[in-house]
Amino acid sequence: MVTFFKRSTYLIPKHRIQAMMVTQSVWMKRAQLAHLQLELRHGDAVQEVEVRYLPAQVAQSLYEWYRR
């Protein structure tokens, strides 16, 4: 059996987040969706994580939480 869709939950401490960005294409704006991109401190390197197709309001509220 092949799994095409997979959902994972990760808890990331705020102090590990180095940068956060909300991106949205023209088509995503019409559907009120957005991607949330995170850069995380991972030892001496940076790990990039992307949460795709979030409701735009949720992505914006997470971004505002990070900015505070």
Side-chain angles (χ1 to χ4, degrees):
M1 182 163 136
V2 178
T3 304
F4 290 104
F5 300 102
K6 180 180 171 184
R7 181 177 285 184
S8 300
T9 302
Y10 298 96
L11 300 177
I12 301 169
K14 187 176 181 178
H15 69 272
R16 287 193 55 211
I17 301 172
Q18 291 185 326
M20 185 180 290
M21 183 171 47
V22 177
T23 59
Q24 192 176 37
S25 71
V26 175
W27 296 276
M28 291 173 69
K29 192 169 196 161
R30 176 181 273 172
Q32 295 295 311
L33 297 173
H35 297 321
L36 186 65
Q37 297 174 338
L38 304 164
E39 289 186 6
L40 307 174
R41 185 173 59 233
H42 187 72
D44 290 339
V46 173
Q47 181 178 10
E48 295 179 1
V49 176
E50 184 176 39
V51 182
R52 299 174 56 87
Y53 301 106
L54 283 173
Q57 188 175 12
V58 172
Q60 195 61 38
S61 68
L62 288 169
Y63 182 73
E64 292 300 323
W65 167 81
Y66 172 70
R67 288 188 56 197
R68 282 187 243 151

